Amino acid sequence: MTYSNHGKNPLGKLFLSMLYISAFTFGGGFVIITFMKRKFVDELHWIDDQEMLDLTALAQSSPGAIAVNAAILVGWHVGGFLGMLVAVIGTILPPIIIISVISFFYAVFITNPYVAIVLKGMQAGVAAVILDVVFNLGSGVLKTKSVIHILVMIVAFAATFFFGVNVVYIILAATLVGIIVSVYKQYKGKKQS
C-alpha cells in the first residue's frame, strides 16, 4: 500500500501525526507503539492489526531506538522512501527540541522539586501505557490462535520476568523459531503441491 491510497496529502498527515505522537509520548519506544497503533490502525486505517504487530516486532528486533525504527517502517509502509523520511523527521524533531531546551536549563531543572514530582507522575503514566501495549499486542497474538506464537510469547515472558534472561537472547531465539516455522511451512507447501 502506498501513500496514493491514503487520500489527500497523506505525507503531511503522516508528518503531523508523528510529530504529535512523538511530542506527547513519554516513556520510550513501547509507549509510542501504542499511540502509532491508535492513529494508523484504529483511526486512519492505513495499517491493519497484524501488520502493526509485524512492524512492532521488526522495530524491536532492529538495532536503534524503537520509536525511530517504528517510524521508518510505518513511513515506508504508508509512503515509501518519502514517507519514511517524513515519519522519521516528525519523530525526531520533538525530542531534539526538548533535549536542547532541557540541556540549556539543566541546572535549574535538576534542583527543582516540582520537576521531580512531574517526572514521578510521568513514570506512573508510562507504566499504565506500557501495560496497555502488552494487553493490545498480547491479545493480537492470542487472536491468531497459533500455538507456536502463543508459546513463544509465554516462554519469552517467563524467560525475562522470572529468569532475567537478556532481551537480546529472547529476540534471537524468537527469530530462530520464526525462521524454522517459515521454512517448515514452505517445505510442507512444496511437498503438498
Side-chain angles (χ1 to χ4, degrees):
M1 195 180 293
T2 60
Y3 67 88
S4 60
N5 298 339
H6 300 301
K8 285 185 173 180
N9 196 14
L11 294 179
K13 186 175 271 192
L14 176 64
F15 175 77
L16 291 175
S17 297
M18 293 307 298
L19 188 75
Y20 175 80
I21 289 169
S22 183
F24 295 102
T25 302
F26 297 91
F30 293 111
V31 178
I32 203 170
I33 295 291
T34 300
F35 289 105
M36 290 172 75
K37 179 192 177 295
R38 286 192 184 136
K39 185 68 173 181
F40 300 117
V41 176
D42 301 336
E43 184 183 324
L44 296 174
H45 306 290
W46 287 358
I47 301 171
D48 65 37
D49 282 319
Q50 184 58 48
E51 288 170 323
M52 190 68 205
L53 194 59
D54 293 342
L55 294 176
T56 301
L58 283 170
Q60 183 180 4
S61 60
S62 301
I66 294 174
V68 175
N69 290 344
I72 289 169
L73 294 168
V74 169
W76 184 270
H77 182 79
V78 170
F81 183 76
L82 198 54
M84 178 187 67
L85 286 177
V86 164
V88 168
I89 291 169
T91 301
I92 64 172
L93 272 179
I96 287 173
I97 293 167
I98 292 168
I99 289 172
S100 297
V101 169
I102 289 173
S103 66
F104 188 73
F105 296 106
Y106 181 74
V108 175
F109 281 137
I110 199 68
T111 58
N112 189 318
Y114 298 109
V115 171
I117 291 169
V118 168
L119 291 175
K120 285 289 183 190
M122 285 181 179
Q123 287 176 352
V126 167
V129 172
I130 289 175
L131 278 175
D132 183 50
V133 171
V134 169
F135 287 125
N136 281 333
L137 294 179
S139 66
V141 171
L142 292 175
K143 286 178 187 174
T144 66
K145 297 181 182 176
S146 167
V147 175
I148 293 173
H149 294 144
I150 294 169
L151 188 63
V152 166
M153 182 177 70
I154 292 169
V155 169
F157 173 78
T160 189
F161 190 77
F162 296 115
F163 303 109
V165 176
N166 190 318
V167 176
V168 172
Y169 299 124
I170 294 170
I171 291 170
L172 290 173
T175 302
L176 182 62
V177 169
I179 290 170
I180 291 169
V181 168
S182 179
V183 168
Y184 174 75
K185 284 181 179 178
Q186 286 181 347
Y187 173 76
K188 189 176 175 183
K190 287 180 182 178
K191 195 174 180 182
Q192 288 178 350
S193 18

